Amino acid sequence: MVRGRKTTRDIILWVEEQIVPANGTKFAVDVVSQTLLDIGSKSFTHLITVLERYGQIISKLCPDEEMQLLLMDEVSAYWKNSTQMTAIAIDRMMGYRLISNLAIVKWVFSPANVDQFHVSDRPWEILRNTVSKTYNRISDLRKEIQTLRKSIQVAKEASAKAIKELEEAKSILEIVEGQPVSSERPGRLRRLQGFADKAKEEEVTIEESLEAKQALLARGLEEGKELLRLLFKSFVDVLTERLPPVSADGDVPNLRAGDPNVTFPASDPEAATMEIDDENGADNNSQVNGENMKAGYTIGELEQWCLCTLGYLKSFSRQYATEIWSHIGMLDEEVFVGSIHPLIRKAAFSGLCRQMNQ
């Protein structure tokens, strides 16, 4: 149907009447998403064109977070061998309001992605794009509101000037047959009246635009606040599950101390030895082939995951410190509260350049 140039409405009706009743909404999302992604896979331009032309189909099938999470699973599965295209597709879908920023955060912190935190940059790239786009929208709205306020002032001045010229023209009178009449030509009066009406209409239009932008800004600020709450709450939840507990004496675990369960195979005593060249005064000791004389890298996978995730928590806190500080009261009351692990608090507060006892 897509290749046959059917309209978006025709495709939506076909999906709702033929696919959903017989196979369910999840199957419909699978079919639609895989079809559109396949058509848009030729290039970035193809992907943008498909989302612009048929985005309403996705929006109709994925109105809530549950279906949007399913949609992102489909995108991830289709582009499983391309981190870049996965990130681009999800970013564009957010740009077209097909998926929400909160749904993306929940998807990034889903179990399948959490397990990849220390071995893949994909979830972090998607998460960073989401937070940046959210606050870029807010920044753009603030700039637009500032511009509209200046435009309103100019429009009000133009309207006042046009009305003043009209009133002055009407006030010029002359006596004709003993009766006061306007001395201005009727054509000029009509022209001045038109200028005044147009100036007033433009002023009203700009005021309406300003009200609409202010409403969008208020909604964006609320979304940004909820995004930070969910982001840090998700960090705290996944880290709390995996971080080693604080000892009974209050000692904080050292994640870099190494894994005592990691062992290295014993060297073969009959293995050939390699003579170390003593050039430049080097020690002439022998070394068993394949054996590293230096201390081995003994940090376990769990410790690597914890160190990586704590590092990204610190990085996000530093990069978005300005936005975070504006909501620090909310985060202190709802996230950084209770018996939160000291390593989590340290990572977040270090990014914010905040003292641990604050």
Side-chain angles (χ1 to χ4, degrees):
M1 296 188 75
V2 175
R3 296 190 185 280
R5 300 288 182 177
K6 295 292 185 179
T7 64
T8 300
R9 179 171 177 78
D10 290 339
I11 297 176
I12 291 175
L13 289 175
W14 177 75
V15 170
E16 290 180 340
E17 294 175 359
Q18 303 293 329
I19 303 299
V20 174
N23 302 282
T25 305
K26 292 185 178 180
F27 181 81
V29 172
D30 185 12
V31 171
V32 170
S33 61
Q34 295 295 319
T35 301
L36 297 182
L37 288 172
D38 187 63
I39 295 173
S41 64
K42 294 181 180 180
S43 68
F44 176 74
T45 304
H46 280 80
L47 177 63
I48 298 301
T49 302
V50 166
L51 291 178
E52 286 180 348
R53 185 173 298 172
Y54 299 107
Q56 292 181 11
I57 305 173
I58 297 177
S59 179
K60 186 74 173 179
L61 290 173
C62 305
D64 52 34
E65 288 185 355
E66 180 183 358
M67 301 309 297
Q68 290 170 14
L69 292 173
L70 178 62
L71 173 63
M72 285 182 279
D73 284 338
E74 296 294 338
V75 173
S76 178
Y78 185 88
W79 290 111
K80 62 182 179 181
N81 295 323
S82 177
T83 297
Q84 182 183 30
M85 286 305 300
T86 302
I88 289 175
I90 292 177
D91 180 73
R92 290 294 86 201
M93 287 180 177
M94 178 184 170
Y96 290 122
R97 300 282 185 175
L98 303 179
I99 51 180
S100 69
N101 50 9
L102 299 180
I104 295 175
V105 173
K106 290 181 179 180
W107 181 79
V108 168
F109 283 93
S110 63
N113 287 316
V114 167
D115 290 339
Q116 302 297 313
F117 275 5
H118 62 309
V119 295
S120 174
D121 287 335
R122 185 185 67 172
W124 301 117
E125 180 182 355
I126 293 171
L127 187 61
R128 198 178 300 276
N129 289 344
T130 301
V131 179
S132 295
K133 186 177 287 293
T134 298
Y135 285 103
N136 286 341
R137 284 176 178 171
I138 293 174
S139 177
D140 291 342
L141 284 170
R142 283 173 172 158
K143 292 177 181 178
E144 291 175 8
I145 288 174
Q146 186 176 6
T147 301
L148 285 172
R149 284 173 175 165
K150 293 179 180 178
S151 299
I152 282 181
Q153 186 62 31
V154 174
K156 286 183 177 180
E157 293 175 358
S159 178
K161 181 179 179 181
I163 293 174
K164 182 180 179 181
E165 290 179 354
L166 176 62
E167 296 298 329
E168 289 178 350
K170 289 181 177 180
S171 65
I172 301 175
L173 303 175
E174 61 180 3
I175 303 300
V176 177
E177 297 179 355
Q179 298 293 328
V181 297
S182 176
S183 62
E184 287 289 349
R185 296 187 300 274
R188 184 169 185 271
L189 289 176
R190 287 194 299 270
R191 188 165 58 252
L192 290 175
Q193 183 67 55
F195 289 157
D197 293 342
K198 184 177 180 180
K200 188 62 178 178
E201 182 180 348
E202 184 176 357
E203 178 186 348
V204 171
T205 300
I206 296 176
E207 287 179 344
E208 291 176 350
S209 297
L210 178 60
E211 292 176 0
K213 294 294 183 182
Q214 287 174 333
L216 289 174
L217 177 60
R219 189 176 70 179
L221 290 172
E222 189 62 31
E223 286 182 357
K225 180 180 178 180
E226 184 60 31
L227 177 68
L228 287 180
R229 178 191 290 111
L230 179 60
L231 176 64
F232 280 94
K233 186 69 168 60
S234 300
F235 266 117
V236 170
D237 288 344
V238 296
L239 282 165
T240 301
E241 291 177 0
R242 303 195 181 200
L243 281 171
V246 179
S247 68
D249 298 331
D251 295 332
V252 178
N254 182 5
L255 298 175
R256 300 182 185 276
D259 186 351
N261 296 321
V262 175
T263 58
F264 293 90
S267 60
D268 184 357
E270 297 182 358
T273 60
M274 177 178 64
E275 295 296 330
I276 305 299
D277 191 1
D278 62 354
E279 184 180 0
N280 298 326
D283 188 13
N284 189 19
N285 290 328
S286 296
Q287 178 177 343
V288 179
N289 286 347
E291 180 181 359
N292 187 357
M293 300 300 291
K294 297 180 180 179
Y297 184 72
T298 60
I299 298 180
E301 184 176 3
L302 178 59
E303 287 78 8
Q304 293 179 40
W305 184 95
C306 292
L307 288 169
C308 180
T309 307
L310 286 170
Y312 274 105
L313 171 58
K314 180 178 179 180
S315 174
F316 274 88
S317 298
R318 180 186 296 115
Q319 182 173 354
Y320 304 103
T322 302
E323 292 79 9
I324 294 170
W325 273 109
S326 63
H327 300 295
I328 198 65
M330 176 271 295
L331 293 175
D332 284 341
E333 292 178 0
E334 301 183 22
V335 180
F336 303 128
V337 65
S339 57
I340 184 173
H341 200 289
L343 290 178
I344 301 176
R345 189 184 299 273
K346 179 181 178 182
F349 284 21
S350 177
L352 295 171
C353 298
R354 184 184 186 189
Q355 297 297 325
M356 289 285 289
N357 55 3
Q358 282 187 291

